[in-house]
Amino acid sequence: MKNVNYFAPAQIEEAVRIMAEWGDKVTFLAGGTDLVPKINYYELKPEVLISLGSLGLDYVKEWQGGLAIGSTTTTARLAIDPLVAEKASALAEAARHSGSEAVRNSATIGGNLANASPAADLATPLLVMDAELSIRGPGGERVHPLHEFFKGPGKTVLGKQDLLVEIRIPASKGKTVFRKLGRRKAMTLSVVNVAVRLDMRGKKCNEARIALGSMAPTPLRCHKAEAMLQAKELNKDLIKACAAQAIQEASPIDDQRATAWYRKHAGAALVAQALSSIIGLES
């Protein structure tokens, strides 16, 4: 690359100032697993690169009974961190199935969300855990719920002068599960991925969250399917109907990884499997 202005700020305030100065010319560099290939293949020619590696945003800590995760925390750390395993087991599972070991050691949770891929593995478990995002810009901090963050493939609510700083996961009840299907058993993008959270009160469902990835222009919550489980005793018939409703809320497409028809059938099976596994039923 030639004629690129490169910055490696050590403070968030410094990064915000550089963003304000250079505006829409800025490109952020975190793990680089998506950015560097685009540069190498001349799909992107950044004028200003801001490296986020010196901002101190690689952390996992307790927050109000839940978790706060810095945006440059690597997928590899999420996969093995004991706090993530304890408080967000579906996120740890998604991290373990996200890319190769080399990719996991570089890829960051902030990059996975900000790239806004419909197939982002980390998005669905964060959606079912009602995650929210701390975003910094010239106007200060604002907190945005994750379910309103994605606007389309590669599109989010982030403005040109916004920096995703932290992902916050509130304390949540119940169990979470992540399931993924790809064209291979490992190191592959999702044909479909599913995350589920159920809070059971005895045999009845007190609260349900269901999220799908690679099934719509953005990762999505399946609100109607969730409502079907509210205050109900879960059984095989209800789970099957709920899985079918979740797929009705999606809008999968044909692409190089799978057909829409296959995604619908595979997605329904994965939702049913995830729900069944939480309550100890065979799907």
Side-chain angles (χ1 to χ4, degrees), residues 25-252:
K25 296 179 181 179
V26 166
T27 299
F28 292 114
L29 173 62
T33 54
D34 287 301
L35 176 63
V36 172
K38 289 180 180 179
I39 294 173
N40 287 343
Y41 286 101
Y42 301 101
E43 296 175 17
L44 178 67
K45 295 181 179 180
E47 294 184 56
V48 179
L49 271 179
I50 299 180
S51 173
L52 305 180
S54 299
L55 292 179
L57 298 177
D58 180 4
Y59 59 81
V60 177
K61 61 186 180 183
E62 291 195 64
W63 171 78
Q64 297 183 5
L67 286 178
I69 303 173
S71 62
T72 64
T73 303
T74 63
T75 308
R77 178 170 179 179
L78 297 177
I80 63 172
D81 190 280
L83 272 178
V84 178
E86 175 191 348
K87 296 179 178 293
S89 59
L91 180 61
E93 183 70 11
R96 285 192 288 271
H97 287 85
S98 179
S100 66
E101 184 175 357
V103 168
R104 291 194 296 272
N105 281 323
S106 297
T108 66
I109 185 172
N112 192 255
L113 298 178
N115 284 331
S117 166
D121 288 330
L122 305 186
T124 47
L126 290 169
L127 281 170
V128 300
M129 290 182 286
D130 299 322
E132 57 188 33
L133 309 178
S134 171
I135 299 169
R136 283 288 301 273
E141 181 195 29
R142 70 181 191 275
V143 178
H144 210 93
L146 181 62
H147 68 87
E148 296 177 355
F149 180 71
F150 303 108
K151 295 302 179 183
K155 298 179 181 178
T156 71
V157 300
L158 291 173
K160 293 294 185 179
Q161 298 182 35
D162 284 335
L163 175 63
L164 174 56
V165 173
E166 187 175 79
I167 296 87
R168 297 168 183 167
I169 303 173
S172 59
K173 299 178 180 178
K175 296 181 180 179
T176 59
V177 165
F178 174 81
R179 293 287 185 271
K180 173 180 177 177
L181 177 66
R183 295 185 67 181
R184 302 188 302 269
K185 290 186 177 181
M187 293 188 294
T188 183
L189 289 172
S190 295
V191 167
V192 55
N193 71 66
V194 171
V196 166
R197 177 167 67 85
L198 290 180
D199 177 32
M200 303 295 293
R201 292 292 184 269
K203 294 183 178 181
K204 288 188 176 182
C205 176
N206 181 59
E207 186 177 57
R209 295 285 188 273
I210 301 169
L212 297 175
S214 202
M215 291 287 285
T218 67
L220 77 152
R221 281 266 307 278
C222 303
H223 296 280
K224 292 181 181 179
E226 295 169 356
M228 291 178 65
L229 305 181
Q230 190 72 30
K232 302 282 183 61
E233 290 190 17
L234 272 59
N235 55 48
K236 288 186 177 180
D237 290 338
L238 179 56
I239 286 174
K240 183 177 180 180
C242 175
Q245 174 58 49
I247 301 308
Q248 287 185 23
E249 297 178 55
S251 54

